[in-house]
């Protein structure tokens, strides 16, 4: 994503129309499935690139999509102490991108969560990580993303955590409700969960 983002910025005058066509084609391809269109996110969060996000936000307004993932981890909550310097830089860069994206979204109807977690814990959102995270959260609309997968040990641990009563109980004890993007998009970000 880093080199791609830089290339898009450097070649923006030549790529802008092509990228806008591609973003619209992605929206149209999803609509063609007949499934409800409740949120937008992108592989490696590339949709948050400042040049791309303006196009994404415009499409969200046109296609009436009300929710977008904005990776914005609170460092005091997500940090475990074993993060690498490049990982910390990436998390900081996403915080800046999320702030900018929220300013863009303020012009339209779409919103995103107050915070999104999962970046620093990619591949390790197991039961222990859920408990660590939930013990530190203090409210708001929070999205947690994981990568459950039966083909790797890490993916199986994440899947087990997502399906466990311990995580559901910890979520309830922390004062949160589990909802999907369709529901939170309908209710809007102003309703604290």
């Amino acid at each position: 994503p880093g080199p791609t983002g830089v290339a898009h910025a450097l070649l923006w005058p030549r790529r802008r129309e092509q990228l806008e066509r591609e973003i619209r084609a992605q929206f149209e391809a999803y609509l063609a499935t007949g499934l409800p269109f409740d949120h937008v996110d992108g592989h490696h969060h590339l949709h948050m690139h400042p040049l791309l996000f303006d196009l994404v936000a415009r499409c969200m307004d046109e296609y009436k999509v009300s929710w977008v993932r904005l990776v914005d981890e609170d460092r005091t909550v997500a940090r475990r102490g074993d993060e690498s310097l490049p990982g910390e830089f990436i998390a900081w860069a996403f915080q800046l991108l999320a702030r900018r994206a929220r300013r863009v979204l303020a012009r339209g109807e779409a919103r995103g969560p107050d915070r999104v977690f999962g970046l620093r814990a990619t591949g390790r959102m197991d039961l222990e990580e859920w408990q660590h995270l939930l013990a530190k959260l203090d409210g708001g609309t929070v999205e947690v993303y994981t990568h459950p997968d039966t083909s790797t040990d890490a993916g199986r641990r994440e899947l087990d955590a997502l399906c466990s009563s311990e995580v559901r109980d910890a979520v309830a004890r922390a004062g949160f409700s589990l909802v999907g993007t369709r529901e939170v998009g309908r209710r809007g970000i102003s309703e604290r969960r």
Side-chain angles (χ1 to χ4, degrees), residues 6-139:
V6 170
H8 288 339
L10 294 174
L11 301 171
W12 187 245
R14 291 190 307 194
R15 288 191 176 174
R16 183 186 184 287
E17 286 182 26
Q18 177 186 357
L19 288 165
E20 185 165 7
R21 280 193 308 274
E22 179 58 32
I23 290 168
R24 287 185 185 285
Q26 293 291 326
F27 274 70
E28 290 291 334
Y30 189 85
L31 283 173
T33 68
L35 296 168
F37 204 162
D38 58 21
H39 79 285
V40 170
D41 64 40
H43 190 59
H44 291 291
H45 317 296
L46 196 56
H47 68 286
M48 291 178 61
H49 185 290
L51 298 172
L52 298 179
F53 192 79
D54 292 351
L55 301 174
V56 168
R58 188 174 323 128
C59 285
M60 288 178 67
D61 284 343
E62 290 173 23
Y63 289 88
K64 307 294 185 223
V65 182
S66 61
W67 196 256
V68 62
R69 175 180 292 157
L70 302 176
V71 177
D72 188 3
E73 291 186 335
D74 179 335
R75 184 171 188 240
T76 61
V77 173
R79 195 155 195 267
R80 295 293 295 237
D82 59 350
E83 288 82 3
S84 66
L85 187 57
E88 285 299 297
F89 175 77
I90 290 167
W92 172 78
F94 275 117
Q95 281 185 322
L96 293 178
L97 292 172
R99 285 184 198 142
R100 182 196 180 278
R102 283 191 179 90
R103 288 192 303 270
V104 172
L105 289 178
R107 300 179 211 146
E109 298 297 317
R111 297 290 177 261
D114 296 321
R115 286 158 298 161
V116 171
F117 292 97
L119 181 67
R120 285 181 175 92
T122 293
R124 58 184 177 125
M125 279 303 302
D126 55 17
L127 178 58
E128 181 183 337
E129 191 64 30
W130 275 97
Q131 290 170 333
H132 165 80
L133 178 63
L134 287 164
K136 293 185 169 190
L137 291 178
D138 62 359

Side-chain angles (χ1 to χ4, degrees), residues 115-187:
R115 286 158 298 161
V116 171
F117 292 97
L119 181 67
R120 285 181 175 92
T122 293
R124 58 184 177 125
M125 279 303 302
D126 55 17
L127 178 58
E128 181 183 337
E129 191 64 30
W130 275 97
Q131 290 170 333
H132 165 80
L133 178 63
L134 287 164
K136 293 185 169 190
L137 291 178
D138 62 359
T141 304
V142 178
E143 180 180 348
V144 179
Y145 69 90
T146 66
H147 298 91
D149 165 358
T150 58
S151 67
T152 66
D153 287 339
R156 283 189 292 276
R157 284 191 303 274
E158 290 195 10
L159 181 60
D160 290 344
L162 287 172
C163 295
S164 76
S165 61
E166 291 97 333
V167 168
R168 282 191 304 278
D169 292 345
V171 167
R173 279 193 308 276
F176 288 91
S177 300
L178 293 173
V179 297
T181 52
R182 189 169 306 132
E183 184 178 346
V184 78
R186 275 195 316 262
R187 291 180 178 199

